[in-house]
């Protein structure tokens, strides 16, 4: 059982255990109350940048908050798909769940990097630390995925290439 788990799959499962509940709660707070949810701790950097630098109207701020919630829920959905695919041993062994993990890492890295930049512009050190930590976790898993050897499909070793040549016809044996 332990031999068919890749390091990136295990690391992705640990990331999903953190990001799925944390970002789902942050996104649903925005969905329920867009302005109040935007000014919560996980989203405060984006909220301060929108209010201080962009000076948008209330409806535009609500739309940007919903866009942030949609992006976070999209990343959560890719992590959920990854975890569902991870439960099947045949998919896990062949690396079929890596695409969902890669998409979750890409979307999450972009959101965390943008939030980290906005937190540094807004001068919010707590949010800067949070988003920098999240970005480092996501990039660490991406690096592990790149460095880890690719999964090779299982081949049937009972037939060797020396036995089959174009010069020797293969006949079916009827017995």
């Amino acid at each position: 059982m332990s031999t068919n788990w890749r390091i990136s799959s295990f690391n992705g499962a640990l990331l999903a255990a953190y990001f799925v509940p944390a970002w789902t709660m942050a996104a649903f707070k925005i969905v329920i109350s867009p302005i109040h949810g935007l000014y919560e701790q996980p989203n405060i950097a984006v909220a301060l940048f929108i209010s201080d630098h962009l000076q948008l109207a209330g409806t535009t701020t609500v739309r940007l908050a919903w866009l942030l919630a949609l992006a976070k829920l999209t990343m959560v959905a890719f992590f959920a798909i990854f975890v569902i695919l991870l439960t099947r041993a045949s998919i896990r062994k062949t690396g079929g769940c890596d695409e969902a993990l890669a998409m979750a890492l890409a979307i999450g890295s972009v959101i965390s990097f943008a939030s980290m930049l906005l937190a540094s512009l807004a001068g919010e050190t707590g949010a800067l630390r949070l988003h920098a930590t999240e970005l480092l976790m996501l990039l660490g898993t991406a690096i592990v995925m790149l460095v880890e050897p690719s999964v090779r499909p299982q081949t049937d070793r009972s037939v060797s290439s020396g036995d089959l040549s174009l010069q020797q016809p293969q006949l079916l044996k009827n017995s």
Side-chain angles (χ1 to χ4, degrees):
M1 175 72 180
S2 64
T3 59
N4 59 12
W5 277 83
R6 300 174 62 205
I7 296 173
S8 61
S9 298
F10 185 73
N11 200 1
L14 289 176
L15 281 181
Y18 167 75
F19 279 104
V20 169
W23 281 26
T24 302
M25 287 189 300
F28 278 133
K29 286 180 182 178
I30 291 174
V31 170
I32 292 169
S33 176
I35 300 297
H36 187 267
L38 190 62
Y39 281 94
E40 292 286 329
Q41 178 64 28
N43 307 316
I44 189 70
V46 177
L48 289 176
F49 182 79
I50 288 172
S51 65
D52 292 348
H53 296 284
L54 298 181
Q55 299 173 353
L56 299 174
T59 56
T60 309
T61 304
V62 168
R63 289 179 184 146
L64 285 177
W66 284 340
L67 186 63
L68 177 65
L70 179 67
K72 285 188 174 193
L73 287 176
T74 303
M75 195 253 341
V76 165
F78 275 112
F79 265 128
I81 291 169
F82 166 72
V83 170
I84 289 169
L85 292 174
L86 196 63
T87 58
R88 298 268 320 222
S90 61
I91 296 173
R92 183 178 59 242
K93 287 178 185 177
T94 60
C97 54
D98 289 345
E99 291 85 7
L101 178 60
M103 286 301 296
L105 292 176
I107 294 170
S109 296
V110 168
I111 294 170
S112 291
F113 183 71
S115 297
M116 185 182 68
L117 285 180
L118 296 179
S120 68
L121 289 175
E124 189 66 33
T125 58
L128 179 66
R129 288 184 187 129
L130 171 71
H131 298 304
T133 304
E134 289 175 346
L135 181 64
L136 286 174
M137 288 189 307
L138 292 167
L139 290 178
T141 303
I143 290 170
V144 167
M145 281 184 70
L146 289 174
V147 171
E148 193 173 41
S150 64
V151 178
R152 295 186 182 106
Q154 297 288 335
T155 59
D156 187 16
R157 297 190 188 269
S158 63
V159 178
S160 65
S161 62
D163 294 340
L164 297 177
S165 81
L166 295 175
Q167 306 297 329
Q168 300 171 356
Q170 295 292 321
L171 301 175
L172 296 174
K173 294 181 180 180
N174 294 331
S175 49

